[in-house]
Amino acid sequence: MELVWQDRKRTLFGLPLSFTKYELDGERLFVKTGFLTQKEDEVRLYRIMDISLTRTLGQRIFGVGTIHCSSADKTLGNFDIISVKKPGEVKETLSKLVEEQRDKKRVTNREYMADMDDDAEDLI
């Protein structure tokens, strides 16, 4: 599948001087790390449940930010996409693709069901 977005973890002064690479296609997010020993993690987008963005003062100065993802993936779990350029745009793109995949796979979120249970108790 064609890549929608890719970037590297940025370090000093927002420069991509690390061995961590992020790639996003329409269905999966890949996190590749390492130089001598390389590791590649993958999370299916429909497994991501929540996304948030954090930008420290230093990150704002250099135009980068960190995206925190809460996922139901067993191997990757909750993870961060650390110090990437245009983090607001990346977060919105990721959020849109997550919702598309959740709709496509007909994945429901249990927190909605919990809200409905609370409402049902109020009616009794």
Side-chain angles (χ1 to χ4, degrees):
M1 185 169 256
E2 188 175 321
L3 293 179
V4 175
W5 169 80
Q6 65 181 3
D7 200 356
R8 287 187 178 275
K9 175 182 169 184
R10 304 206 173 239
T11 55
L12 187 64
F13 306 119
L15 299 173
L17 302 173
S18 76
F19 297 105
T20 301
K21 185 175 182 181
Y22 306 105
E23 294 179 345
L24 176 66
D25 68 17
E27 296 179 0
R28 300 171 293 178
L29 174 69
F30 300 94
V31 180
K32 300 175 181 180
T33 58
F35 176 67
L36 295 177
T37 301
Q38 295 181 334
K39 179 181 176 185
E40 180 177 318
D41 284 311
E42 164 190 331
V43 63
R44 299 250 173 215
L45 296 181
Y46 71 88
R47 292 185 172 273
I48 296 175
M49 296 179 291
D50 191 43
I51 303 169
S52 62
L53 172 62
T54 304
R55 297 180 75 196
T56 64
L57 177 61
Q59 286 178 321
R60 289 194 315 257
I61 289 170
F62 295 109
V64 298
T66 298
I67 301 167
H68 178 74
C69 299
S70 298
S71 83
D73 189 78
K74 291 189 191 299
T75 57
L76 200 53
N78 298 339
F79 62 95
D80 292 327
I81 303 171
I82 302 169
S83 293
V84 292
K85 282 202 144 297
K86 300 181 181 179
E89 291 178 24
V90 174
K91 178 184 167 282
E92 288 305 313
T93 300
L94 182 58
S95 182
K96 181 180 145 210
L97 289 172
V98 165
E99 286 304 314
E100 286 175 7
Q101 284 299 305
R102 291 177 73 79
D103 288 344
K104 183 178 176 182
K105 303 281 187 189
R106 297 182 182 158
V107 175
T108 58
N109 199 341
R110 290 188 177 155
E111 69 185 41
Y112 296 129
M113 295 177 74
D115 288 342
M116 289 179 10
D117 289 343
D118 291 343
D119 292 340
E121 288 176 8
D122 292 340
L123 295 174
I124 298 176

